[in-house]
Amino acid sequence: MDDGLADLLHRVVMLLGEAARRRTDGPDGLTYSQIRLLGTLEDIEPTTQHKLAQALSVSDPAISRALRPLQTDGLVQITVDPEHARRRLVRLTEAGREAFHATGKPLDEEFRAALVAAGFPYDRYLEDTHRLAELLASD
């Protein structure tokens, strides 16, 4: 990938994350990082902790630390993989799914509405981003 494109993609992701954190991170409720983790998990569950870490581009120890409070709060379930005793399988609980849909989905809609209102071609951006991800994954 061209270094300029990689830098641009990284900057866009950082800016979106900062905007999301300003709207979510506070003393009550889920942080943006937790919302992102729950949303990613919903897309790929059940999955191993390692695959979840890869999907979020974080280390295995970081995902383990991030999952602890979510497990304590009853939002995720972590079990031993019956096929491999050293692996842990992660899935959302119903409470985790509800928490994500109550917080993450409205945040997504808020961003979409704001971008569309500003004249940004959101649907085209989303389609092109999916295509770019597929191309990069197949490389």
Side-chain angles (χ1 to χ4, degrees):
M1 178 181 343
D2 178 273
D3 286 343
L5 177 59
D7 290 343
L8 179 61
L9 290 173
H10 179 73
R11 181 157 168 68
V12 168
V13 168
M14 293 292 291
L15 290 170
L16 285 170
E18 288 172 16
R21 279 182 194 85
R22 285 193 300 272
R23 286 166 174 78
T24 59
D25 290 2
D28 300 325
L30 297 170
T31 66
Y32 171 65
S33 295
Q34 290 172 323
I35 293 167
R36 190 168 164 250
L37 188 153
L38 294 176
T40 301
L41 184 55
E42 183 178 59
D43 288 341
I44 64 173
E45 71 174 332
T47 190
T48 64
Q49 283 186 207
H50 178 71
K51 287 181 182 174
L52 181 59
Q54 286 179 318
L56 291 165
S57 298
V58 299
S59 68
D60 287 348
I63 203 68
S64 182
R65 285 189 302 274
L67 286 168
R68 277 187 214 120
L70 296 173
Q71 183 180 27
T72 299
D73 291 344
L75 302 178
V76 299
Q77 178 186 35
I78 303 171
T79 57
V80 174
D81 185 341
E83 295 179 15
H84 191 291
R86 292 185 58 198
R87 282 194 297 230
R88 303 291 176 256
L89 293 177
V90 186
R91 58 179 42 90
L92 286 175
T93 63
E94 191 55 39
R97 193 171 320 283
E98 289 172 7
F100 172 67
H101 284 265
T103 308
K105 292 292 186 174
L107 180 64
D108 183 50
E109 284 303 313
E110 178 186 339
F111 276 133
R112 183 184 187 289
L115 290 169
V116 168
F120 184 81
Y122 181 84
D123 292 328
R124 171 75 191 268
Y125 166 77
L126 189 59
E127 180 182 318
D128 288 347
T129 303
H130 281 292
R131 288 183 53 225
L132 177 59
E134 289 171 4
L135 286 170
L136 293 174
S138 68
D139 194 32

